[in-house]
Amino acid sequence: MTKIVATKPYADQKPGTSGLRKKVPVFAQENYAENFIQSIFDSLEGFAGKTLVIGGDGRYYNREVIQKAIRMAAANGFGKVLVGQGGILSTPAASHVIRKYGAYGGIILSASHNPGGPDEDFGIKYNIGNGGPAPEKITDAIFARTKVIDSYKTLDAADIDLDTIGTLKVGDLTVEVIDSVADYAALMETLFDFGAIRALIGSGFKVVIDSMSAVTGPYAVEILEKRLGAPAGSVRNAVPLPDFGGHHPDPNLVHAKELYDDVMSPQGPDFGAASDGDGDRNMVVGKGMFVTPSDSLAVIAANAKLAPGYKDGIAGIARSMPTSAAADRVAEKLGINMFETPTGWKFFGNLLDAGLATVCGEESFGTGSNHVREKDGLWAVLFWLNIVAARKEGVKAIVEKHWADYGRNYYSRHDYEAVETEKADALMAELRGKLATLPGAAFGALKVAAADDFAYNDPVDGSVSAKQGVRILFEGGSRVVFRLSGTGTSGATLRVYVERYEADPARHGIDTQEALADLIAVADEIAGITAHTGRTEPTVIT
Ligand code: G16
């Protein structure tokens, strides 16, 4: 029976770069999750009788919120819910399921690369019928609703069995518990040359994937070990755990260091990859070569035709503003569209739907294409394996030849985590205040060509997103970008993105931090990072 439960608004339910992310104890407050879910439903129209996809990355609190969401979907009039077995759906798999079954939308429970556990992070985000994150128009409406909500609808019904595949009823709602992996694995087989990758692996090319005890484990085991023939154990930390086994499921050089060190050791594997909590991010490491996410996008785009799913070429590339311009050079050479969007995968959706872009990427270890409407960690790994198999060259040779052809964009991101919010805001405000005075200013040999606060005009729907990050562009193509993270849950995270273009192959072998040292110093000089935050060095360098 439908129940209307009285509630009071919470003031802090503003969705960030990718949904609402908070610590579990925040989410566990009375009606907190319910308020947000009801606010999502209240911001949507015309879903009566339609299908909603629900799944998450398996982190602590996943099952509880799934049960709540199912009861609320029933009470709010959805016709059907598709839920991943055990409550598991990686973010790209959820995106695919929404698209494949023509669902109205989906609720994905994840805080992505943030740690999980009783005192760690949880998150809820809503994806629309194209499979992608809700655009700002919808997330703004959801936030507005959370501020005034006074009741939510649910059903008096028991928890369902999430672990057995099959169909059952919750009130009038049909709930189908689906295999979390099958649809996604089948999609990958249509995009990549599994035969060639199987032969590569069969020839002794050793691949390891670290799933960081997060959601990609079952997907990677099915695809890499069962379908591509990698030996059992090639997928490490393959079982999703509610606290990710204490791992910080963020695939970068800090949190996936063990994998990196292993691939770099002489007797280690030829190829290593890691994914994040919900499976949309990826890190690719070849023997002797860590591939930056920006370079990964560029190499994938340049070699796209080698994968069967992209054999006819790509229509365009899109990258987030802070992502390096390496892909721009590929687009220029191929004579295809290039788009620069704000940070956040949701900005790619319109471009993909309109057929303007085919491949997208972000510096934050995200790469993907029009096969779904999310970034996709395993997709990127398979793309790389496909390229290696087709070119019969290792990752290092492929990247070095790419630099020789296009030039190298030295690139690094410096993160200052858990800075007090007021201090970070003051730094950004001061920076914005001095933008007009910067063009023409010289810092040693570096001369500022332009400085602005990035704004994006969506070419498809005409929407404008302002204040998306401060860019300081130097003559010769170097730049420094400052923005505050939209995904953190403690204080503010200041991100400083540093980039230098180097055309000369003789200068492609320099250590990245060394190659960027003058720009890093100038970033501090211009923004007063130490003065504002008291920090003398970043928390994480990638
Ligand atoms: C989310 C978005 C990404 C974005 C990233 C950046 O990633 O989905 O599109 O690049 O946040 O986050 P920040 O605002 O912290 O720089 P994820 O993997 O957390 O969903």
Side-chain angles (χ1 to χ4, degrees):
M1 212 190 69
T2 303
K3 280 198 304 191
I4 301 202
V5 182
T7 186
K8 289 205 176 70
Y10 286 92
D12 63 346
Q13 295 197 320
K14 184 173 170 49
T17 310
S18 184
L20 182 69
R21 291 187 190 166
K22 300 283 175 194
K23 298 283 175 207
V24 169
V26 175
F27 261 108
Q29 296 174 90
E30 193 181 15
N31 299 337
Y32 193 90
E34 289 88 342
N35 276 14
F36 192 71
I37 294 169
Q38 186 65 51
S39 297
I40 295 174
F41 294 157
D42 289 347
S43 306
L44 307 174
E45 279 169 0
F47 56 77
K50 302 227 165 109
T51 300
L52 182 72
V53 173
I54 304 180
D57 62 11
R59 70 178 59 224
Y60 190 87
Y61 214 42
N62 193 42
R63 285 172 176 264
E64 288 82 347
V65 176
I66 286 182
Q67 300 286 0
K68 291 178 201 276
I70 290 172
R71 284 191 281 266
M72 289 179 67
N76 278 274
F78 277 94
K80 186 172 186 181
V81 158
L82 296 174
V83 59
Q85 187 180 20
I88 293 285
L89 278 179
S90 77
T91 290
S95 181
H96 177 53
V97 169
I98 293 170
R99 294 166 66 75
K100 177 165 178 179
Y101 297 100
Y104 180 88
I107 289 182
I108 303 178
L109 307 170
S110 168
S112 187
H113 54 293
N114 297 357
D119 296 314
E120 297 295 353
D121 292 2
F122 188 74
I124 303 181
K125 71 170 181 164
Y126 178 69
N127 280 29
I128 58 175
N130 75 351
E136 279 184 338
K137 196 169 55 151
I138 295 182
T139 54
D140 289 348
I142 295 171
F143 180 45
R145 184 70 193 144
T146 63
K147 292 194 273 193
V148 295
I149 189 166
D150 57 8
S151 69
Y152 67 86
K153 286 189 206 152
T154 187
L155 217 63
D156 236 343
D159 283 359
I160 65 152
D161 172 9
L162 281 174
D163 297 299
T164 310
I165 289 178
T167 303
L168 38 92
K169 281 277 189 190
V170 176
D172 292 334
L173 178 79
T174 303
V175 180
E176 196 178 334
V177 179
I178 59 170
D179 184 309
S180 312
V181 176
D183 290 319
Y184 178 83
L187 174 66
M188 292 301 114
E189 291 227 36
T190 67
L191 299 176
F192 301 113
D193 187 345
F194 271 43
I197 302 174
R198 206 178 298 117
L200 173 77
I201 291 172
S203 74
F205 187 85
K206 198 172 164 209
V207 179
V208 292
I209 291 184
D210 187 345
S211 288
M212 303 180 102
S213 305
V215 82
T216 54
Y219 297 86
V221 169
E222 173 65 28
I223 293 172
L224 188 72
E225 296 185 4
K226 298 207 178 126
R227 301 195 185 197
L228 293 171
S234 299
V235 182
R236 300 175 180 170
N237 300 310
V239 178
L241 300 173
D243 65 350
F244 303 132
H247 293 118
H248 187 150
D250 194 358
N252 62 33
L253 292 179
V254 175
H255 299 301
K257 186 163 185 325
E258 222 171 281
L259 175 82
Y260 173 82
D261 289 345
D262 192 16
V263 178
M264 290 301 155
S265 71
Q267 62 295 1
D270 300 289
F271 183 100
S275 282
D276 67 336
D278 62 334
D280 56 3
R281 297 186 178 206
N282 74 90
M283 181 181 87
V284 168
V285 192
K287 186 149 278 341
M289 174 66 69
F290 159 69
V291 187
T292 70
S294 297
D295 279 347
S296 183
L297 172 66
V299 171
I300 285 175
N303 292 277
K305 283 187 173 177
L306 298 177
Y310 306 85
K311 65 177 184 342
D312 297 328
I314 54 178
I317 311 173
R319 65 164 171 86
S320 67
M321 181 273 284
T323 304
S324 97
D328 302 32
R329 298 175 193 286
V330 176
E332 200 184 334
K333 188 160 171 184
L334 295 177
I336 57 175
N337 300 326
M338 184 73 222
F339 299 93
E340 188 176 30
T341 62
T343 293
W345 205 264
K346 58 185 172 222
F347 293 102
F348 296 138
N350 280 346
L351 300 173
L352 293 167
D353 284 349
L356 294 170
T358 308
V359 174
C360 309
E362 296 187 283
E363 51 69 36
S364 54
F365 294 84
T367 340
S369 84
N370 59 355
H371 69 291
V372 290
R373 292 295 180 274
E374 288 278 3
K375 55 190 183 280
D376 188 343
L378 279 173
W379 172 89
V381 172
L382 292 169
F383 217 133
W384 268 95
L385 290 173
N386 195 137
I387 293 169
V388 168
R391 288 183 44 164
K392 302 193 173 18
E393 287 177 305
V395 172
K396 187 167 192 278
I398 291 170
V399 173
E400 285 175 350
K401 284 187 187 167
H402 185 91
W403 291 338
D405 284 349
Y406 294 91
R408 175 172 181 186
N409 288 71
Y410 280 102
Y411 186 85
S412 182
R413 187 176 98 183
H414 289 202
D415 294 334
Y416 297 81
E417 292 176 350
V419 174
E420 283 167 55
T421 308
E422 308 75 61
K423 291 183 177 173
D425 288 344
L427 181 150
M428 290 302 290
E430 193 180 299
L431 201 52
R432 290 191 162 107
K434 64 162 92 150
L435 283 177
T437 66
L438 288 172
F443 297 87
L446 292 163
K447 198 159 176 211
V448 179
D452 66 3
D453 197 347
F454 181 65
Y456 178 62
N457 299 309
D458 187 305
V460 179
D461 67 14
S463 60
V464 178
S465 304
K467 294 184 88 172
Q468 296 294 325
V470 167
R471 304 189 285 187
I472 302 179
L473 312 166
F474 298 93
E475 286 177 3
S478 296
R479 63 173 192 164
V480 181
V481 173
F482 300 87
R483 63 177 278 281
L484 298 183
S485 157
T487 58
T489 54
S490 346
T493 294
L494 171 68
R495 303 205 194 283
V496 184
Y497 312 81
V498 191
E499 175 177 0
R500 149 164 292 134
Y501 179 65
E502 177 57 70
D504 181 2
R507 292 207 296 262
H508 285 170
I510 306 170
D511 169 76
T512 300
Q513 299 305 314
E514 211 177 299
L516 298 172
D518 55 344
L519 286 156
I520 293 167
V522 168
D524 186 34
E525 191 179 335
I526 294 179
I529 300 171
T530 304
H532 276 286
T533 66
R535 305 288 178 85
T536 50
E537 54 185 55
T539 327
V540 178
I541 296 180
T542 46

